[in-house]
Structures are given as C-alpha cells and as structure tokens.
Amino acid sequence: MTGPSERTVTFVTGNAHKLAEAAALLSPCGITVRQADLGYPEVQADSLEEVALAGIAWCMEKLKKPCLLEDAGLFIKALGGFPGPYSRYVHETIGNAGIMRLMEGAQDRSAVFRSVIAYHDGTEPHLFIGETLGHISTRLEGTRGFGYDPLFVPTGYDLTFGQMEQQEKNAVSHRGMSLRAFVSFLSERRC
Ligand code: IMP
C-alpha cells in the first residue's frame, strides 16, 4: 500500500507516553500519528513477536484499515530474561520496587529493553524490532517517562530513561529504534 494514506498512521495504544514518543519521532518525518485506544487483548506468549502479531491481527479485524501497535519488554540477564514478555503484568504487580528487591545482591545487572512494532498494511503484517542494551540501576531515579524508565540505564549513559528528556530517550531507546525501522520501511515503499 502506497500513497498519502501512509502519511497518517493509526497507532493502537492506550499509553499516552508511547503515543507522545511515537509522535515526536514520526511527525518530523511527515507522518501524523492518530491514536486508537482499542484495548486489544495481549495474549500470553513466550515472545513479544507472538504477542504483537496476535494483537495486530485482532486490531486489523476490528479497524479494517492499516494500523500499528507496539509491544515492549525488559529482559534482565540475572533473572533469566524475566520479566520479558510478562513485563506489563510484573509492573502492575510487584512494580519497580519488586524488581529492585529481586536484583538485591546481583553482580551482573545487565538487561535489554526490546520493542516490537507490528504494522498491518491492509494485506499482511510486518514486524520492526528495536533493542537497547543497558543495566538495572541500583536506585530508582528520574520522574520522566513511565513504567520501568526509573530503573533502566542505557549503555554509555549514567542516566536512567526516567532522567532523560523525551528526545534523548528516543535517540537511544528500543522504541526509537523500532520506530526508525518503521519509518525506513514506509519511505522505501513510497519509492
Ligand atoms: P507494553 O508494551 O505496554 O505491554 O509494556 C510492558 C511493560 O513495560 C509495561 O509495564 C510498560 O509500562 C513497560 N514499558 C514499555 N515500554 C517502556 C519504556 O519505554 N520504558 C519503561 N517501561 C516501559
């Protein structure tokens, strides 16, 4: 699918922070982001890719037009990749304080934040992946952003995502990366 309709993208999300991050990155590329807060079901699966693909199939069925969603997860090495695809549930239950408790005494604090964008073009789904390496901070720091932002420090920085301006976070974040891959895909398709 090509043409002007690709200039407006429907982002299925109820998360205002994700929406703002996407708009900040996509608007300068001439792509308007429109929110659809559908509350799609997140299936219980072992990978973000599976969750995203199931979600976008459901959204496409509902909306009957091209749309995009994003599923993210924090994978902590010392915890065997936990919470990974269960990041939302874990955040809603034990929260950041619970993660800090689980990490008490851990020598290796390395972690990866992953983002999977699923975009359905009306014919088929496409996935775009972003990954940011980093570590779990020893203290919760920063009041910006959302979710696990106060405990994730991207490699090469002394700041948590929660201490970064939105633009700075977008430049290094998992979501920034998957969104840029999505922008490249759209621009290649227009050629
Ligand atoms: P979901 O992609 O909305 O399912 O996110 C899973 C969990 O990770 C939720 O608890 C989110 O708050 C959290 N999360 C997703 N993206 C980010 C991020 O960029 N920074 C911090 N937490 C995030």
Side-chain angles (χ1 to χ4, degrees):
M1 182 172 191
T2 57
S5 60
E6 284 185 344
R7 288 281 167 181
T8 298
V9 163
T10 301
F11 186 7
V12 183
T13 184
N15 185 324
H17 295 277
K18 283 190 181 186
L19 188 71
E21 286 182 12
L25 205 145
L26 298 180
S27 303
C29 305
I31 302 166
T32 303
V33 182
R34 185 178 298 147
Q35 182 184 19
D37 187 359
L38 288 188
Y40 64 91
E42 278 197 23
V43 299
Q44 199 84 342
D46 290 340
S47 75
L48 299 181
E49 284 83 349
E50 284 174 74
V51 178
L53 282 172
I56 202 67
W58 187 92
C59 294
M60 186 64 203
E61 186 65 32
K62 276 265 174 226
L63 290 173
K64 306 206 184 311
K65 64 176 181 185
C67 50
L68 168 153
L69 61 77
E70 191 257 4
D71 199 52
L74 177 65
F75 297 74
I76 303 175
K77 195 171 170 193
L79 304 180
F82 183 83
Y86 312 106
S87 292
R88 179 194 288 247
Y89 178 72
V90 169
H91 197 265
E92 283 168 0
T93 51
I94 65 172
N96 287 344
I99 295 287
M100 297 310 270
R101 274 196 301 278
L102 291 176
M103 290 300 286
E104 270 169 21
Q107 297 297 312
D108 182 354
R109 303 186 71 86
S110 60
V112 184
F113 230 129
R114 296 190 75 236
S115 160
V116 175
I117 286 179
Y119 173 64
H120 204 299
D121 63 9
T123 305
E124 58 184 350
H126 304 266
L127 293 182
F128 306 92
I129 317 290
E131 286 188 355
T132 301
L133 304 182
H135 69 267
I136 305 302
S137 167
T138 49
R139 286 193 328 188
L140 296 176
E141 290 197 273
T143 52
R144 296 193 175 103
F146 67 102
Y148 296 104
D149 278 345
L151 59 70
F152 186 79
V153 181
T155 299
Y157 288 78
D158 286 329
L159 302 174
T160 65
F161 274 165
Q163 292 172 298
M164 292 181 171
E165 302 280 356
Q166 187 181 75
Q167 232 182 342
E168 199 178 8
K169 179 185 170 188
N170 263 351
V172 292
S173 79
H174 50 304
R175 184 166 307 104
M177 211 175 287
S178 58
L179 284 167
R180 280 190 292 277
F182 171 62
V183 170
S184 301
F185 168 83
L186 283 190
S187 43
E188 276 166 24
R189 287 195 136 196
R190 267 205 288 305
C191 296

